[in-house]
Amino acid sequence: MPDDRPQPPRSPFPAPSGAPESAVGPTGLLLCGARLADGRTVDVRLGGERIEAVGTAGSLVPGPAGSRVDLGGYLLLPAPAEPHAHGDTALSADGPPACEAEEVQRRATEAALLQLGHGATALRSHVGIGEMQGLDALAAVLRARHSLRGLAELTAVAMPRVLTGAAGADGRALLRDAVKTGAAVVGGCPDTDPDPAGHVEAVLEVASEHGLPVDLHTDAADPARLTRIAAMAGGLRPGVTLGPCGGLGRLPEEAAARVADQLAAAGVGVVCLPQGGCGAAGRFGTPPVRLLRAAGVRVAAGSGALRDASNPVGRGDPLEAAYLLASRQGLRPETAYGTVSAAARAVLGLPEVRVEAGFPAELLAVRGTDMAGALSLAYSRVVVHRGRVVARTSAVREYCDSAATAALGLPRQGRGGTS
């Protein structure tokens, strides 16, 4: 019987004899016959970790020792990024997540690979610190980060729950230790602290000390609290992100609009979770994305829980997040995809990606001819990270022989035969 279990990503071109595949660098890979979002069909040559050239289909050849990947019938896009994952609790829906370091590392690695298969070549994972586990879960996620080098970029957010009062003294010390351990983002959850404003002040202080970005978990249901956060966070570099902010969607429109203007003026970004919530925020819901965007707020979309207690059916698929924003909030397909690609990368502090020469070779090819079709039926995917194919998903839809299927030429995923 065929083995349907997920397999580790493999490159389409072989490694040199005796070299591990993960050690192979880019070698002038040529992506042939891909369709771009503007309708052009092109060849794309990758050199190093960047796009070297883009030309009309058939006009380019691979670089020295390069290979070809036929992308006829695929739409080629900037790769999505995941701005809000939970590697320490992922894949634990069957019971309380095991806290053993090896198990946390295994789940975090598997979750990142699942999301990489969907197309996310960069991920930000929120990791709880304190309570009983101290920094153990963070250390495990950082080991997962190391093991994923060359496949995906994983960064960790240290997430304390209480930072104020006598009980928060240990939390503040642990947060500083987390940064020294390797957390690249200073996190916080003001909704779980008896003094939410003091919590935010403590997070911003640590972030300012180390020159790190801030990512705060909040339901964002209190306009006065959001006003204060915007006032405290305004101008902080390299930036402040709030998420998942479902409470904004429950505010009266006038109040939400005032908050949106304040967040935009302060340069605070918002990450929403269209596929479901996450345990740290407590309540589910999606903020008013169109209202926020109209005010000038940078809005990115993340996945949140991936098959844990908060969302046992979470898929971690950025294209599903974009689909939900298009179908439920009325965003154009191209705009919806931008929330999981350009906006998500901006929130993560990553450089912009375009399918143009000179830009990073972080790409996703999805079976389809336009963005709307890609968001609704893009099962077959090819993922490129640092100029190298790091994941493939091939899906084939077949129908039994009948006059109806023959007459209509029903669509199918994949090309020729089964796979």
Side-chain angles (χ1 to χ4, degrees), residues 58-333:
S59 67
L60 300 181
V61 296
S67 300
R68 297 174 181 266
V69 176
D70 182 3
L71 292 183
Y74 280 77
L75 187 68
L76 187 62
L77 304 166
E82 173 52 69
H84 194 117
H86 287 273
D88 57 337
T89 60
L91 308 174
S92 62
D94 293 337
C99 295
E100 292 81 2
E102 288 186 5
E103 175 62 15
V104 173
Q105 181 180 348
R106 184 196 66 78
R107 288 201 316 268
T109 303
E110 183 179 353
L113 289 174
L114 285 171
Q115 294 186 272
L116 174 65
H118 291 315
T121 62
L123 307 96
R124 176 182 282 185
S125 178
H126 299 253
V127 185
I129 64 171
E131 313 260 329
M132 299 295 293
Q133 77 267 33
L135 296 178
D136 291 348
L138 175 63
V141 172
L142 291 174
R143 286 193 294 273
R145 175 181 183 271
H146 181 78
S147 70
L148 289 163
R149 285 180 179 173
L151 293 174
E153 301 299 322
L154 175 64
T155 58
V157 185
M159 287 291 301
R161 294 180 65 82
V162 178
L163 292 175
T164 64
D170 289 343
R172 294 191 297 273
L174 199 63
L175 184 56
R176 287 183 168 87
D177 288 342
V179 171
K180 295 175 184 175
T181 299
V185 184
V186 182
C189 193
D191 298 0
T192 65
D193 197 303
D195 179 4
H199 186 101
V200 175
E201 288 176 359
V203 169
L204 294 177
E205 180 182 349
V206 174
S208 181
E209 289 173 4
H210 296 275
L212 294 177
V214 168
D215 199 323
L216 296 172
H217 276 255
T218 178
D219 187 48
D222 185 340
R225 187 182 301 172
L226 288 172
T227 296
R228 187 161 185 181
I229 290 175
M232 289 189 290
L236 183 73
R237 294 293 179 265
V240 177
T241 302
L242 305 181
C245 297
L248 273 174
R250 300 189 292 273
L251 294 179
E253 184 173 351
E254 183 177 341
R258 284 197 300 270
V259 168
D261 289 339
Q262 293 162 354
L263 295 177
V268 175
V270 170
V271 173
C272 63
L273 305 179
Q275 299 170 89
C278 60
R283 301 183 69 178
F284 294 174
T286 305
V289 172
R290 295 178 68 181
L291 182 150
L292 290 168
R293 284 176 48 83
V297 178
R298 175 179 287 125
V299 181
S303 299
L306 198 168
R307 301 212 303 268
D308 68 14
S310 298
N311 186 358
V313 295
R315 295 182 182 177
D317 185 351
L319 266 67
E320 182 180 53
Y323 157 80
L324 290 170
L325 289 179
S327 64
R328 293 182 179 178
Q329 298 223 13
L331 270 63
R332 294 177 58 249

